[in-house]
Amino acid sequence: MTLRRCYPSDLTDEEWALLEPLIPAPKPGGRPAKVPRREIMNAILYVLKNGIPWRAMPHDLPHWSTVYHYFRQWQKEGVWEKAVQALVRRDREREGRPASPSALVMDSQSVKTTEKGGPGETMGRKRSKGESARS
């Protein structure tokens, strides 16, 4: 693969060192991977950061269908959730806090109901059989 210019969304060496262990390695026994995992991650981040369609990726990044395939596969395997958790742990440690929170605060909001009663209040009274509208 030829060298390409760097994009602002590319992973730094430090970021890649954190994420690389979370990215699944190529499956053994198959043909060797043609595209390095780091380039796939850089392409995914390019699309997400710039909000572009997959097919609008620059031509110096891996082909859009390859990148999208790995994005969806890793999404189904929970890779993104693990990556987010790792980043949160790293940020907490940088701030001098424990990697995992020791307490959880939950806030629930009341669901407001209507002032009126149920459907009978809004639709009028139901009549029994044989009762006319005038009674």
Side-chain angles (χ1 to χ4, degrees), residues 5-60:
R5 63 187 178 133
C6 290
Y7 293 106
S9 58
D10 283 356
L11 293 167
T12 65
D13 290 339
E14 178 189 356
E15 292 167 335
W16 177 240
L18 180 69
L19 293 176
E20 184 178 20
L22 304 173
I23 304 299
K27 293 181 180 168
R31 59 182 173 179
K34 291 182 180 178
V35 181
R37 295 296 199 245
R38 185 171 180 171
E39 278 300 291
I40 293 170
M41 280 296 300
N42 284 335
I44 290 170
L45 292 172
Y46 183 91
V47 169
L48 297 178
K49 182 172 178 111
N50 294 295
I52 63 167
W54 292 100
R55 292 177 187 248
M57 286 176 40
H59 294 290
D60 58 343

Side-chain angles (χ1 to χ4, degrees), residues 116-133:
K116 297 180 179 181
E121 289 290 322
T122 57
M123 297 179 68
R125 187 174 72 85
K126 292 190 177 187
R127 297 181 195 100
S128 61
K129 272 188 177 179
E131 187 179 2
S132 70

Side-chain angles (χ1 to χ4, degrees), residues 46-110:
Y46 183 91
V47 169
L48 297 178
K49 182 172 178 111
N50 294 295
I52 63 167
W54 292 100
R55 292 177 187 248
M57 286 176 40
H59 294 290
D60 58 343
L61 291 172
H63 193 268
W64 75 267
S65 62
T66 301
V67 176
Y68 182 72
H69 164 77
Y70 283 103
F71 174 77
R72 290 289 293 146
Q73 181 179 339
W74 294 343
Q75 188 177 42
K76 291 175 186 174
E77 294 174 1
V79 171
W80 303 125
E81 184 64 33
K82 291 175 195 168
V84 167
Q85 290 171 359
L87 293 171
V88 167
R89 282 193 302 273
R90 184 193 68 172
D91 286 347
R92 289 180 62 85
E93 289 170 349
R94 280 184 174 174
E95 294 171 356
R97 301 184 308 171
S100 297
S102 58
L104 174 68
V105 176
M106 293 182 67
D107 181 24
S108 63
Q109 296 179 355
S110 301

